[in-house]
Amino acid sequence: MENFVGIITGCNALTGIGRATAYSIAKKNPKAIYVTDIKDSDLSTLAKDITNTTGVECIAKRVDASSDEDIKGVIDDAMKRYGRLDFFYANAGIGNAKSMAEQTKEVFTEMMVNNTWSVFAAVKYASAAMEITSSEKPKSAGSIVATASIAAARSGAGSMSYAASKAAVVNICQTGAWRLHGKNIRVNAVCPGVIETEMTRPLLEAIAKDPRKQRLAKLHTALERYGKPEEVGAMVAFLISKDASFITGQAITVDGGATAALPYLPLFADS
Ligand SMILES: NC(=O)c1ccc[n+]([C@@H]2O[C@H](COP(=O)([O-])OP(=O)(O)OC[C@H]3O[C@@H](n4cnc5c(N)ncnc54)[C@H](O)[C@@H]3O)[C@@H](O)[C@H]2O)c1
């Protein structure tokens, strides 16, 4: 990632995927990373720690990922300061645990604006900046990664509005990759399974209190555990890097094997 400049959304949560990914990307030695979030209580400590521990320039900025103005603003800042944009990780998102009956048009729209428009806006505005060339960056180039979910593929990993918002994220990455054909700008989605973060804390706490749920949760993945944010971060950092130069339009799953199986049945002697 030599000389790369890029932006990550959804980095404020202390145990979140965005924050862990900022460290995974910093390890690959880019020039600068913007760490952003709609909440900024813990962003500047993240930026300082990354700069102190890796030497990578890290800038904290409050950005609502669903706001066109905010997204354009942080991209303009990067272009003014560094003259280039090489990656954008559209990670910010919200969840809800509402039943079908509890979903309303307002709840659905809020989900789509935060989880889906945020990714569309990232592809739209970041790709325009990635096309801009200079003596330091003679050709159009860039990598956009968005956080979808295994909920994008099938039921059982989130509410209906959440799953629909993430299915649309996968499609935006596929269609975005082709809309940008010939521009050397790659667009991919990463689809995490259950990862231990603030978003899943209520669910995981409820499971931990109930031995029956605990036994079922253990069978959820082939690795018999949940994922860690840095295990998603490692995949995102790879997708952003030049090592992934022929990968575009894909949805890459990081789920401990959860989606490889039908719901578990103890069919075999060693089960
Ligand atoms: N944790 C999981 O199991 C899991 C699984 C699949 C996908 N995901 C997705 O991963 C992404 C990160 O989730 P997480 O688990 O780290 O959750 P988290 O709640 O720990 O972190 C999400 C961060 O996004 C920020 N955010 C929310 N809306 C925003 C907006 N409009 N603009 C800017 N920032 C905003 C929050 O303030 C928070 O800091 C989300 O898109 C989520 O849907 C999570």
Side-chain angles (χ1 to χ4, degrees), residues 41 59 128 224:
S41 55
I59 302 107
E224 297 193 347

Side-chain angles (χ1 to χ4, degrees), residues 143-167:
S143 175
I144 300 166
V145 180
T147 314
S149 166
I150 56 170
R154 53 194 62 138
S155 179
S159 68
M160 284 174 75
S161 56
Y162 181 79
S165 75
K166 294 300 188 178

Side-chain angles (χ1 to χ4, degrees), residues 3-230:
N3 294 327
F4 276 17
V5 174
I7 296 163
I8 309 175
T9 64
C11 293
N12 191 63
L14 292 174
T15 56
I17 292 170
R19 203 172 187 95
T21 303
Y23 285 98
S24 304
I25 292 172
K27 275 192 217 159
K28 291 190 182 278
N29 208 25
K31 184 171 181 57
I33 308 172
Y34 283 75
V35 288
T36 75
D37 201 288
I38 196 167
K39 298 182 188 152
D40 57 5
S41 55
D42 294 294
L43 280 183
S44 57
T45 48
L46 171 66
K48 277 185 202 134
D49 192 54
I50 287 184
T51 301
N52 290 342
T53 55
T54 66
V56 172
E57 288 173 46
C58 195
I59 302 107
K61 202 168 169 59
R62 193 200 158 279
V63 170
D64 176 352
S66 69
S67 151
D68 291 47
E69 285 64 38
D70 282 13
I71 293 294
K72 280 192 276 188
V74 66
I75 291 172
D76 284 352
D77 196 297
M79 293 306 290
K80 273 193 202 117
R81 213 186 280 217
Y82 297 103
R84 61 189 292 160
L85 186 71
D86 301 281
F87 66 86
F88 196 113
Y89 178 31
N91 164 71
I94 59 170
N96 73 40
K98 291 186 190 307
S99 67
M100 194 195 299
E102 289 166 335
Q103 303 276 347
T104 60
K105 196 195 272 187
E106 287 70 33
V107 170
F108 188 87
T109 305
E110 185 196 18
M111 188 68 81
M112 295 302 283
V113 167
N114 280 284
N115 288 6
T116 312
W117 177 254
S118 59
V119 173
F120 194 103
V123 174
K124 176 176 172 178
Y125 297 117
S127 62
M130 287 168 178
E131 279 187 56
I132 295 170
T133 56
S134 65
S135 54
E136 280 202 1
K137 184 180 168 183
K139 283 185 189 155
S140 161
S143 175
I144 300 166
V145 180
T147 314
S149 166
I150 56 170
R154 53 194 62 138
S155 179
S159 68
M160 284 174 75
S161 56
Y162 181 79
S165 75
K166 294 300 188 178
V169 167
V170 168
N171 194 280
I172 288 168
C173 292
Q174 292 168 334
T175 49
W178 273 91
R179 283 279 161 172
L180 294 166
H181 64 87
K183 297 184 189 296
N184 194 30
I185 298 171
R186 298 180 293 106
V187 191
N188 291 290
V190 65
C191 297
V194 179
I195 310 296
E196 293 181 76
T197 69
E198 194 52 35
M199 187 178 277
T200 49
R201 193 170 50 80
L203 166 78
L204 302 188
E205 281 176 359
I207 292 172
K209 283 185 198 145
D210 181 336
R212 188 182 140 271
K213 283 186 181 163
Q214 261 180 329
R215 279 198 304 281
L216 286 172
K218 206 174 169 197
L219 300 175
H220 169 69
T221 71
L223 302 178
E224 297 193 347
R225 64 173 177 84
Y226 309 120
K228 297 183 193 326
E230 58 270 24

Side-chain angles (χ1 to χ4, degrees), residues 219 258 261-266:
L219 300 175
L262 295 168
Y264 184 82
L265 272 180

